[in-house]
């Protein structure tokens, strides 16, 4: 028994060695200098600090960005899932090495489930894990995405095992693996995984029909569906809040109705946009139900760019890439007064990428050897495996082209459930990170083990049934060599076939520098084309030599494993290497306080907001680490806030810049600072112009809350946002009629017409925490109060004298409450049901999963004992 386990143990040890050998910096306590993690720290600063200081009262809301938003997509401590300790156990070790290890282990299990040998499974594990995209997302800090990708092969392994081996154990494994994959919390990757599984299930259905094994397929599929539902249910604690928030975020689309989305009846409104909008909105229509298609397809892979799956620097590599001292650009710099040191520093970060994407961290290189073997698989493999991989793979490629192949994108965007919630369509190529290695490994299994006939449940498997003759193998080898090696050879010899190597940004450079950059980009392509050709030829030679009997299979397998590792490792090091690791102290330094932050923090008031014009206001979370801000960074901010950015906040920022044109002193800037109503109603007290300059003080900021004397009802979102420009936000407010009781509003309107003895009213914030705000008020009559806090209906509740009172939406994004006559307190509490109930359901389903696992294990042990007793009694 132990001898049989030795190859598996050695493989796991090799994976551990490979993971930590790739990232030896972790042994000295260094971490990857991940820009997105620094950004996340800025986003989550208030949440993390509050949770550390109040361990029994986790933050579910934060005011640190965009006026305030749920913590759901930023950082939440989720409770209830009792499988979480097992998930955490798998993450033991130093990151990012632990990510690579998880991926290799899962891919190893995947290929073992397909019935290949341990060496081939190890080959596949390397091919899956060391795709260059993984290193790029680790380098920039997309840790949840990397974890979700790392668990993809675990889930696929369970599905394959269920259909090919044990339906029961495969289903139980599937439930746990899917639970972990979803727990990584990257729905877009989970969506792509579902596409792979759906394609696999269709293949199995066709295979079952042809082999007359439909009953087993139905049984296995039913078990997998039930197990999958339980696995998903363990994550209800975070799926429910995420789903609830998505309807209010940018992923849910805008409630504003444009002329292009009005129903056909709007044509009778004689071009009256507001009237048409009202009709459409009353019909429950939005301008869109997800992300804007143009926004979602910004990062679209170019059709020609797809070839960098085979040749990494086909389009220059990364947007900020490095050149050697042999490059034309380096020579130009040294010839024009740069010292060697200056020239070396300059060529370390040049705009090398010249493809159609706005910018990129690098190509999605899958490995020249792996691509070659994948193509070989289409010639030597029989059955549905190649139709599964080809059909799903082609769909992924076409969708990755985004706006370059809009009919496909529009089809999925408009008709596929939830597809319009995702952006960065090029990400779908992670599907190929699974499918291409699967084809490659099964092809190797076919050609290196010609004597093996795979059998599943007593019948020939449609993965690789029968033994191919030498002529068929030779034909497949020549064709795959001709396709992959031929492309590499042609582009090495004639690189100009792919374009002129000029980037859009080159127009901002001197002509001579643009020319040298183009020459260097061409050189990069030629170098990598030759590199890919060499790996393809070496791989083909190893296979051919083994088949001809020139050396043993073990030598060929060792050579192929070494080749795929060297191939991918060498490219990976361009995107995640020693230069990307820093000490913990260096990693935290970008968030250190600036002089202007120190000045603002001298103001100890409980709650006010800051507008930082010294950074990219709506794409930078640094300021949010220290202050409650107007801006920040989030691809899933509240959609209504985004609407206000587009309609009012950005124009008001532009007005500030115009006011400050030509100013020479701080006092002059302060005097010129004008009246900006929307920034005022968001309680924007300070405006940052520079890191070392004093902040401008907005004396017109309306504070945390104020009473208004006039409410103007709006029937729909278009009216709400349009009316803001026509009111004085100090004394009036636009009210969404759908959020305020009509009788309550009518009663207040009637009361407002009756002359009353005037006495001063006041309202003041006296307690603040992310989940709870308390205001003290004194009101001489019943009147509406407007709060500079973001309106979000799921979860926020208001209480006066212990009794819940309605919150209405004011000025499109703010909260409002009718305050009674007299003195008292108003308490706002954020406590969404989706958290408490979701955690209860998560706990129940995760306990069910564990009980099923223990029950199945006990039943298996009992059956073995009975079987052993029967054998001994014979």
């Amino acid at each position: 028994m132990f001898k049989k386990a030795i190859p598996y143990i050695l493989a796991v040890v090799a994976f551990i060695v490979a993971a930590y050998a790739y990232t030896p910096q972790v042994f000295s306590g260094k971490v990857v200098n991940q820009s997105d993690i620094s950004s996340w720290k800025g986003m989550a600063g208030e949440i993390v600090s509050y949770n550390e200081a109040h361990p029994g009262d986790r933050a579910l809301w934060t005011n640190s960005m965009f006026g305030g938003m749920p913590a759901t997509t930023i950082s939440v401590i989720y409770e209830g899932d009792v499988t979480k300790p097992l998930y955490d156990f798998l993450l033991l070790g130093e990151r990012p090495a632990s990510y690579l290890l998880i991926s290799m282990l899962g891919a190893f299990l995947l290929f073992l489930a397909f019935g290949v040998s341990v060496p081939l499974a190890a080959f596949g594990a390397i091919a899956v894990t060391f795709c260059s995209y993984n290193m790029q997302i680790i380098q920039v800090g997309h840790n949840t995405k990397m974890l979700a990708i790392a668990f993809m092969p675990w889930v696929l392994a369970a599905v394959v095992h269920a259909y090919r081996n044990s339906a029961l154990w495969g289903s139980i494994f599937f439930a746990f693996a899917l639970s972990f994959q979803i727990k990584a919390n990257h729905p877009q990757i989970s969506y792509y995984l579902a596409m792979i599984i759906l394609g696999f299930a269709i293949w199995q259905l066709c295979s079952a029909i042809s082999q007359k094994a439909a009953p087993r397929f139905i049984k296995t599929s039913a078990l997998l569906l039930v197990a999958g539902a339980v696995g998903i249910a363990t994550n209800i604690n975070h799926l429910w809040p995420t789903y609830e928030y998505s309807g209010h975020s940018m992923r849910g689309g805008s409630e504003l109705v444009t002329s292009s989305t009005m129903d056909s009846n709007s044509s009778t409104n004689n071009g009256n946009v507001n009237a048409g909008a009202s009709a459409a909105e009353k019909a429950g229509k939005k301008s869109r139900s997800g992300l804007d298609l143009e926004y979602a397809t910004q990062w679209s892979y170019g059709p020609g760019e797809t070839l960098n799956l085979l040749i990494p620097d086909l389009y220059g590599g990364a947007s900020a890439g490095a050149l050697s001292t042999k490059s034309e650009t380096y020579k130009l710099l040294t010839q024009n007064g740069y010292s060697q040191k200056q020239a070396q520093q300059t060529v370390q970060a040049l705009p090398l990428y010249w493809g159609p994407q706005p910018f990129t961290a690098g190509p999605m290189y899958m490995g020249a050897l792996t691509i070659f073997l994948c193509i070989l698989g289409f010639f030597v493999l029989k059955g549905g495996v190649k139709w599964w991989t080809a059909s799903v793979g082609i769909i992924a490629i076409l969708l990755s082209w985004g706006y370059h192949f809009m009919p496909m994108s529009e089809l999925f965007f408009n008709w596929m459930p939830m597809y319009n919630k995702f952006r960065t369509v090029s990400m779908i190529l992670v599907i190929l990170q699974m499918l291409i290695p699967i084809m490659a490994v099964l092809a190797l299994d076919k050609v290196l083990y010609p004597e093996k006939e795979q059998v599943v449940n007593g019948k020939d498997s449609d993965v690789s049934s029968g033994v191919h003759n030498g002529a068929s193998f030779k034909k497949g080898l020549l064709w795959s060599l001709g396709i992959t090696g031929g492309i590499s050879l042609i582009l090495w010899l004639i690189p100009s076939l792919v374009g002129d190597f000029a980037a859009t940004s080159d127009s901002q450079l001197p002509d001579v520098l643009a020319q040298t950059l183009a020459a260097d980009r061409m050189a990069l392509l030629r170098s990598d084309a030759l590199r890919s050709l060499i790996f393809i030829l070496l791989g083909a030679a190893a296979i051919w030599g083994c088949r001809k009997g020139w050396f043993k299979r073990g030598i060929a397998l060792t050579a192929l494993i070494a080749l795929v590792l060297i191939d991918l490792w060498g490219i990976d090091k361009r995107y995640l290497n020693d230069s990307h690791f820093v000490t913990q102290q260096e990693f935290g330094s970008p968030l250190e306080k600036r002089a202007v932050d120190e000045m603002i923090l001298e103001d100890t008031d409980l709650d006010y907001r800051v507008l930082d014009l010294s950074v990219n206001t709506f794409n930078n979370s640094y300021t949010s680490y220290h202050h409650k801000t107007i801006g920040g960074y989030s691809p899933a901010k509240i959609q209504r806030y985004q609407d206000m950015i587009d309609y009012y906040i950005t124009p008001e920022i532009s007005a500030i810049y115009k006011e400050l044109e030509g100013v020479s002193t701080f006092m002059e800037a302060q005097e010129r600072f004008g009246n900006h109503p929307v920034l005022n109603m968001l309680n924007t007290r300070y405006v940052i112009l520079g890191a070392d300059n004093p902040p401008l003080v907005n004396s017109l900021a309306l504070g945390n809350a104020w009473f208004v004397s006039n409410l103007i009802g709006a029937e729909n979102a278009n009216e709400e946002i349009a009316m803001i420009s026509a009111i004085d936000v100090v004394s009036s407010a636009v009210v969404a009629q759908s959020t305020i009781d009509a009788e309550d509003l009518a009663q207040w309107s009637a009361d407002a017409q009756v002359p009353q003895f005037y006495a001063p009213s006041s309202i003041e914030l006296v307690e603040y925490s992310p989940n709870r705000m308390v205001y003290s008020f004194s009101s001489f009559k019943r009147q509406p109060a407007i709060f500079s806090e973001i309106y979000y209906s799921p979860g926020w509740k208001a209480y006066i004298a212990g009794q819940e009172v309605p919150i209405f939406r004011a000025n499109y994004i703010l909260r409002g409450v009718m305050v009674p006559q007299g003195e008292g307190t108003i308490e706002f509490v954020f406590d969404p049901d989706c958290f408490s109930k979701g955690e209860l359901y998560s706990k129940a389903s995760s306990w069910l999963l564990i009980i099923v696992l223990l029950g199945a294990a006990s039943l298996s042990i009992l059956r073995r004992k009975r079987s052993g007793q029967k054998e001994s009694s014979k």
Side-chain angles (χ1 to χ4, degrees):
M1 183 72 177
F2 178 73
K3 286 185 178 180
K4 290 183 178 179
I6 289 177
Y8 302 93
I9 295 172
L10 290 176
V12 173
V13 171
F15 297 151
I16 295 172
V17 171
Y20 282 90
Y22 188 86
T23 57
Q25 299 83 0
V26 300
F27 291 116
S28 57
K30 289 187 175 182
V31 296
V32 182
N33 188 18
Q34 299 172 311
S35 57
D36 278 25
I37 294 301
S38 295
S39 180
W40 173 83
K41 284 188 172 183
M43 296 162 61
E46 181 185 34
I47 299 169
V48 173
S49 297
Y50 184 81
N51 288 343
E52 289 176 351
H54 306 82
D57 180 28
R58 58 185 173 169
L60 301 178
W61 181 273
T62 176
N63 269 352
S64 66
M65 294 196 306
F66 302 113
M69 61 186 293
T72 309
T73 59
I74 305 170
S75 177
V76 173
I77 299 172
Y78 294 105
E79 299 172 351
D81 182 4
V82 296
T83 65
K84 184 69 163 48
L86 181 56
Y87 173 81
D88 292 336
F89 174 76
L90 292 173
L91 291 177
L92 285 178
E94 298 297 328
R95 303 178 186 185
S98 58
Y99 300 156
L100 302 179
L101 180 58
I102 289 171
S103 177
M104 282 188 281
L105 290 175
F108 185 63
L109 293 173
L110 170 62
F111 293 111
L112 291 178
F114 271 112
V116 305
S117 66
V118 169
L120 280 183
F123 175 98
I126 293 168
V128 167
T129 300
F130 285 91
C131 289
S132 65
Y133 184 65
N134 290 348
M135 307 307 162
Q136 293 158 25
I137 60 178
I138 288 173
Q139 192 271 313
V140 299
H142 294 178
N143 290 344
T144 58
K145 186 193 300 184
M146 181 60 225
L147 264 179
I149 292 173
F151 277 111
M152 285 177 75
W154 291 71
V155 180
L156 284 175
V159 173
V160 174
H161 186 77
Y163 280 111
R164 291 173 55 84
N165 298 291
S166 169
L168 175 62
W169 283 107
S171 297
I172 293 174
F173 180 29
F174 177 66
F176 277 96
L178 186 59
S179 174
F180 297 158
Q181 201 277 336
I182 293 174
K183 224 180 301 293
N185 201 23
H186 201 288
Q188 190 165 352
I189 297 298
S190 299
Y191 191 92
Y192 299 150
L193 173 61
M195 292 175 64
I196 300 175
I197 294 173
L198 178 61
F200 184 86
I202 293 173
W203 164 30
Q204 295 304 301
L205 172 61
C206 296
S207 177
I209 292 173
S210 66
Q211 296 179 6
K212 298 181 180 180
R216 186 179 188 279
F217 170 82
I218 294 172
K219 173 189 171 184
T220 302
S221 299
L223 281 172
L224 284 171
L225 285 172
V226 172
V230 175
I232 293 171
T234 62
N235 292 280
I236 290 178
N237 59 349
H238 69 86
L239 290 178
W240 188 353
T242 300
Y243 175 77
E244 183 173 82
Y245 177 56
S246 68
H248 299 266
S249 75
M250 293 175 63
R251 307 298 170 105
S254 176
E255 295 176 62
L256 297 175
V257 181
T258 62
S259 57
S260 62
T261 58
M262 294 178 190
D263 54 37
S264 58
N265 293 331
S266 66
S267 61
T268 63
N269 291 319
N270 298 320
N272 187 326
V273 174
N274 284 336
S278 178
E281 196 155 0
K282 286 179 179 178
K285 296 185 178 181
K286 293 183 177 183
S287 62
R288 59 181 190 269
S289 58
L291 291 175
D292 179 75
L293 179 58
E294 182 180 354
Y295 173 74
T297 57
Q298 275 184 311
W299 270 264
S300 297
Y301 239 52
E305 197 173 8
T306 308
L307 280 177
N308 66 20
L309 275 65
L310 175 68
I311 302 171
D313 277 356
L314 185 80
Y315 275 82
S319 292
L323 292 173
S324 71
T325 55
K326 296 180 180 180
S327 66
E328 295 299 318
T329 302
Y330 176 83
K331 294 175 183 176
L332 175 69
L333 293 174
T334 54
Q335 291 168 4
N336 285 272
Y338 279 69
S339 67
Q340 290 185 348
K341 183 177 181 180
Q342 289 173 326
Q344 286 177 353
Q345 291 175 340
T346 302
V347 298
Q348 291 306 303
L350 290 172
L352 299 183
Y353 176 71
W354 58 282
Q357 299 181 74
F359 58 85
T360 179
M364 298 189 78
Y365 179 62
M366 305 286 174
L369 177 58
T370 312
I371 297 283
F372 160 69
L373 293 172
C374 173
I375 300 298
L376 177 61
F378 284 101
F379 290 97
V380 302
L381 292 175
K382 291 181 178 179
V385 63
K386 55 187 177 183
W387 306 121
W388 163 50
T389 54
S391 58
V392 178
I394 290 172
I395 290 172
I397 289 172
L398 295 178
L399 286 173
S400 76
W401 291 350
Y403 64 81
H404 301 290
F405 192 62
M406 197 59 89
M408 190 72 168
S409 293
E410 288 179 339
L411 175 66
F412 271 67
F413 204 79
N414 294 328
W415 297 103
M416 287 298 291
M418 294 188 68
Y419 187 79
N420 61 4
K421 308 296 183 185
F422 307 128
R423 64 172 192 155
T424 315
V425 294
S426 60
M427 195 190 305
I428 199 172
L429 290 175
V430 298
I431 286 177
L432 299 185
Q433 290 187 196
M434 300 295 123
L435 298 182
I436 289 176
I438 286 173
M439 282 293 292
V441 169
L442 294 180
L444 276 179
D445 186 52
K446 184 68 179 177
V447 300
L448 294 183
Y449 295 83
E451 77 284 356
K452 187 170 90 172
E453 185 169 340
Q454 296 178 328
V455 177
V456 179
N457 297 323
K459 296 184 178 181
D460 289 346
S461 165
D462 62 351
V463 172
S464 175
S465 58
V467 180
H468 271 276
N469 57 45
S472 178
F473 158 71
K474 189 182 300 183
K475 177 182 176 182
L477 187 68
L478 289 174
W479 270 103
S480 55
L481 184 60
I483 293 171
T484 56
I487 291 172
S488 301
L489 177 62
I490 290 171
L491 292 182
W492 176 50
L493 296 174
I494 318 174
S496 59
L497 288 175
V498 299
D500 59 5
F501 300 94
T504 305
S505 60
D506 289 354
S507 60
Q508 303 173 10
L509 302 174
D511 289 343
V512 64
L513 182 56
Q515 291 171 7
T516 60
L517 274 176
D520 287 329
R521 290 168 184 148
M522 179 185 290
L524 290 174
L525 167 56
R526 294 194 67 200
S527 174
D528 275 358
L530 178 60
R531 182 186 187 280
S532 293
L533 177 60
I534 291 172
F535 278 104
I536 290 168
L537 291 174
L538 290 174
I543 295 170
W544 181 257
C546 179
R547 285 294 295 247
K548 296 294 286 186
W550 297 343
F551 40 77
K552 293 183 179 180
R553 183 162 56 202
I555 295 175
L557 284 169
T558 302
L560 288 167
I561 292 172
L563 283 173
V564 74
L565 185 59
I566 294 169
D567 180 13
L568 294 171
W569 192 294
I571 301 301
D572 291 346
K573 282 298 181 179
R574 298 178 184 178
Y575 308 108
L576 182 62
N577 52 55
D578 187 64
S579 68
H580 298 114
F581 285 81
V582 296
T583 64
Q584 290 281 0
Q585 183 178 0
E586 291 171 327
F587 182 64
S589 61
L591 296 174
E592 290 181 357
K593 294 175 187 173
R594 305 164 296 181
V596 68
D597 299 317
E598 298 279 8
M599 297 177 204
I600 293 173
L601 291 173
E602 291 179 4
D603 186 336
T604 58
D605 274 8
L606 294 175
D607 189 27
Y608 53 85
R609 294 197 177 90
V610 174
L611 169 62
D612 193 346
L613 299 181
S614 69
V615 298
N616 188 334
T617 304
F618 304 117
N619 199 34
N620 188 298
S621 65
Y622 165 83
T623 315
S624 302
Y625 187 75
H626 302 290
H627 312 288
K628 300 175 181 69
T629 65
I630 294 299
Y633 168 74
S634 173
K637 66 177 75 71
I638 291 177
Q639 178 60 52
R640 280 181 166 262
Y641 196 89
Q642 180 62 51
D643 294 339
M644 290 296 285
I645 290 173
D646 296 336
Y647 276 74
Y648 292 106
I649 299 177
T650 297
E652 289 190 0
I653 289 174
S654 298
I656 293 173
Y657 281 120
K658 191 170 183 179
E659 291 166 357
L660 299 181
E661 285 180 359
V663 299
S664 56
T665 66
F666 171 76
M667 290 301 296
E668 186 180 359
Q670 185 67 69
E671 290 173 0
R672 286 197 186 185
F673 192 84
N675 180 22
H676 305 287
V678 171
L679 292 176
N680 295 343
M681 76 182 196
L682 286 167
N683 195 20
T684 309
R685 185 176 295 181
Y686 297 103
V687 178
I688 296 175
L689 300 179
D692 299 317
N693 300 324
L696 296 180
V697 180
N698 180 17
S699 60
L700 299 178
L702 294 178
N704 304 114
W706 62 97
F707 291 108
V708 295
S709 58
N710 188 29
L711 294 182
I712 304 170
E715 292 187 6
N716 55 62
N718 286 53
E719 287 188 2
E720 280 186 78
I721 201 165
M723 288 179 180
I724 294 173
S725 62
I727 67 168
D728 177 3
V729 295
V730 177
S731 59
S732 302
V734 178
V735 179
Q737 292 181 0
S738 60
T739 67
I740 190 168
D741 185 86
E743 293 184 5
D744 196 32
L745 180 59
Q747 181 61 50
W748 171 82
S749 300
D751 292 344
Q753 303 303 316
V754 179
Q756 298 186 39
F757 173 73
Y758 174 78
S761 294
S762 63
I763 185 166
E764 178 186 7
L765 179 68
V766 294
E767 292 183 40
Y768 171 84
S769 70
N771 300 334
R772 181 175 177 270
M773 300 176 189
V774 179
Y775 300 80
S776 173
F777 71 86
S778 175
S779 179
F780 79 96
K781 67 174 183 177
R782 182 173 177 272
Q783 57 184 325
I786 309 300
F787 301 83
S788 63
E789 303 300 330
I790 303 302
Y791 177 89
Y792 182 72
S793 55
W796 275 110
K797 297 178 181 178
Y799 300 89
I800 297 178
Q803 298 295 316
E804 185 176 353
V805 296
I807 303 173
F808 59 83
R809 187 171 62 238
N811 295 347
Y812 199 73
I813 55 170
L814 301 184
R815 302 175 205 164
V817 167
M818 283 294 182
V819 178
Q821 181 181 4
E823 296 182 351
T825 60
I826 305 168
E827 180 183 23
F828 283 101
V829 178
F830 188 62
D831 186 21
D833 290 340
C834 61
F835 282 94
S836 55
K837 292 181 179 179
E839 288 169 357
L840 178 63
Y841 300 151
S842 182
K843 180 179 290 186
S845 55
S846 55
W847 270 117
L848 174 62
L849 185 54
I850 290 175
I851 291 170
V852 169
L853 172 65
L854 295 176
S858 300
L859 184 62
S860 178
I861 294 171
L862 184 61
R863 284 178 176 175
R864 288 187 179 182
K865 284 185 177 180
R866 287 178 178 176
S867 177
Q869 290 172 355
K870 287 181 180 179
E871 290 292 328
S872 61
S873 63
K874 289 182 180 180

